[in-house]
Amino acid sequence: VQLQASGGGLVQAGGSLRLSCAASGIVFSMNGMGWYRQTPGKERELVAAITEDGITNYVDSVKVRFTISRDNAKNSVSVYLQMNSLKPEDTAVYYCNLIGAGFQPLKVNYWGQGTQVTVSS
């Protein structure tokens, strides 16, 4: 199994970024996936989630601004996060991973490579 996030960068407030996640392994293609973010000293937060059937859910702070989507393959999945109207408080390292039932975050050991998003004011 492998997770690799990409697409982060430095952007001004109000700008947009599109994150991509390549998730290799049938466990990812057959289950719900989410985008998590983490800042130093804080716990990782699930901000956007999507079931294997495409039903989505967002934390209130990113609703309307972020859109999660996915492209399923037999043994892998690509997960995307379109981020618009970015705010400085969106600055974090973003990771993709599995989600738990009911759009809950899942405690797992493997997180793969995240991608840094920095929003300047």
Side-chain angles (χ1 to χ4, degrees), residues 21-116:
C21 171
S24 300
I26 194 169
V27 64
F28 300 120
S29 62
M30 294 186 66
N31 289 285
M33 295 290 291
W35 282 97
Y36 299 73
R37 66 186 181 190
Q38 188 171 29
T39 54
K42 293 189 177 181
E43 287 194 2
R44 201 170 270 130
E45 174 191 29
L46 176 62
V47 298
I50 185 167
T51 67
E52 61 271 29
D53 298 325
I55 300 170
T56 60
N57 192 64
Y58 302 90
V59 68
D60 285 347
S61 61
V62 308
K63 275 182 182 175
V64 179
R65 301 188 298 119
F66 289 11
T67 302
I68 188 172
S69 60
R70 64 188 289 165
D71 288 331
N72 294 325
K74 184 176 180 180
N75 294 313
S76 64
V77 61
S78 294
V79 187
Y80 305 99
L81 188 67
Q82 178 66 44
M83 305 188 296
N84 299 327
S85 302
L86 282 161
K87 303 176 180 180
E89 50 264 43
D90 295 319
T91 295
V93 178
Y94 284 72
Y95 302 85
C96 67
N97 214 322
L98 298 166
I99 59 171
F103 295 109
Q104 295 300 306
L106 196 64
K107 289 189 184 293
V108 295
N109 292 326
Y110 174 66
W111 283 93
Q113 178 180 321
T115 187
Q116 175 71 48

